[in-house]
Amino acid sequence: MKFWRIFNFALLIVGSLFMMAPLFWMISIALKSMEEIYRGEFTFIPQDIQFSNFVDIFEIAPFFTYFINTSVITVLVVLANVFVNAFIAYGFAKINFKGREMLFILVLSTMMLPGFITLIPQYVIFAELGLVNTYYPLVLPSFFGSAFNIFLLRQFFKGVPNSMIEAARMEGANHFQIFFKIALPMIKPALFTVAIFSFNGVWNDFLGPLLYLNDESLYTLQLGLQVFKEQSSTQWNYLMAGSLLVLMPVIILFFFFQKYFIQGSNILGQTDEK
């Protein structure tokens, strides 16, 4: 038994090193000079560490503007995904109204539609409204709810005891007060799960900004990084430095909220089983 535990542990370490190798290589290239890269020597540790690459990248390309743009979009979408979906899910879980189950089935049925099917109609709508080359097409859809997030949060709201809600109603609380003061605090893990997965989706989104944004001053990090790659394809140290800066918030988020990542994965697994 002890042998297999050691073997599994060693296997996990080796697998982790293989998974982390691209990240280590990215950091290595980002810290090298172009002369050292052109020499073609396969070394992880740079001979002459160039921390200035992370400063120069902001002078070569407007990465600070890209960062601000991406942060604005991400914050708005994450807040919308958390609170709008939670509000809808609470209604499906705790408010009885005619046709609730049929409406919920209709909402769930939208999960069967691939995103690419609605891509063109959605673009036509925003184009007719004159909202192309703005952030509205990237932010507004999140204010109309997500079927999966609604389903996920509804399952947690159903776990909130009805006796607590009835007691609050008897004390004169309305559904808005119950929602914010009782229900939301009791499903914090689910809210964190939705927020984390929403952050990853929006922060790494490339297709949306590519489709709707034309002005470079509005570009997000993913789109700006692609433009920089096309304009400076031979400057691998700057390209890796920019890529690392784009990746850094995701890494930081993982280290600070690792338990919520794991918990979110478990929630997704349990949901799939159901």
Side-chain angles (χ1 to χ4, degrees):
M1 182 66 67
K2 186 176 181 181
F3 168 79
W4 287 111
R5 289 182 61 185
I6 297 174
F7 176 78
N8 290 335
F9 187 70
L11 192 63
L12 288 173
I13 292 177
V14 173
S16 300
L17 291 176
F18 273 108
M19 294 294 293
M20 294 292 290
L23 178 61
F24 292 148
W25 186 248
M26 180 187 297
I27 297 173
S28 175
I29 296 296
L31 294 173
K32 290 181 178 180
S33 63
M34 286 302 300
E35 292 78 7
E36 185 175 352
I37 293 173
Y38 282 138
R39 285 201 295 267
E41 298 177 357
F42 189 82
T43 56
F44 270 108
I45 301 176
Q47 296 178 359
D48 184 17
I49 298 178
Q50 301 287 326
F51 288 107
S52 59
N53 290 342
F54 293 96
V55 178
D56 296 340
I57 190 65
F58 289 98
E59 299 176 357
I60 298 174
F63 272 92
F64 184 75
T65 301
Y66 300 154
F67 178 82
I68 296 298
N69 296 341
T70 307
S71 298
V72 170
I73 296 172
T74 302
V75 169
L76 292 175
V77 172
V78 169
L79 290 177
N81 273 333
V82 171
F83 290 104
V84 172
N85 288 305
F87 196 72
I88 298 172
Y90 175 82
F92 279 124
K94 294 301 180 182
I95 300 178
N96 292 319
F97 57 90
K98 187 176 181 180
R100 181 181 68 172
E101 297 303 322
M102 288 299 300
L103 184 58
F104 182 65
I105 293 174
L106 181 62
V107 171
L108 290 184
S109 66
T110 61
M111 294 174 62
M112 301 175 65
L113 294 174
F116 290 102
I117 291 180
T118 60
L119 192 63
I120 295 177
Q122 183 173 294
Y123 180 84
V124 172
I125 292 173
F126 284 119
E128 291 295 328
L129 293 174
L131 298 179
V132 175
N133 200 34
T134 67
Y135 292 149
Y136 289 106
L138 304 176
V139 175
L140 281 180
S142 59
F143 284 85
F144 292 89
S146 166
F148 177 77
N149 290 333
I150 291 171
F151 171 73
L152 178 65
L153 294 173
R154 175 180 175 269
Q155 298 303 108
F156 277 83
F157 278 125
K158 292 188 68 163
V160 177
N162 290 327
S163 58
M164 296 183 63
I165 295 178
E166 292 301 325
R169 294 294 300 274
M170 292 179 63
E171 293 293 329
N174 55 39
H175 278 297
F176 288 98
Q177 294 171 322
I178 296 171
F179 173 72
F180 285 107
K181 295 182 179 181
I182 298 177
L184 279 186
M186 294 185 67
I187 64 161
K188 280 184 179 180
L191 296 178
F192 273 106
T193 300
V194 172
I196 290 169
F197 283 101
S198 298
F199 176 89
N200 281 335
V202 179
W203 190 267
N204 296 315
D205 184 25
F206 175 75
L207 181 60
L210 177 65
L211 188 64
Y212 291 109
L213 301 180
N214 302 320
D215 190 351
E216 188 173 356
S217 63
L218 299 176
Y219 283 179
T220 59
L221 281 168
Q222 295 293 338
L223 192 56
L225 189 64
Q226 181 64 29
V227 171
F228 178 75
K229 177 182 176 182
E230 294 174 356
Q231 295 176 348
S232 308
S233 58
T234 57
Q235 295 178 296
W236 295 107
N237 53 347
Y238 293 135
L239 182 60
M240 292 298 104
S243 301
L244 195 60
L245 290 174
V246 173
L247 184 61
M248 193 58 64
V250 179
I251 296 176
I252 294 174
L253 186 73
F254 175 79
F255 277 112
F256 278 96
F257 299 99
Q258 182 178 2
K259 64 177 181 180
Y260 293 109
F261 270 105
I262 297 172
Q263 191 174 22
S265 300
N266 293 335
I267 292 172
L268 291 176
Q270 294 171 5
T271 304
D272 291 339
E273 292 175 0
K274 294 179 182 179

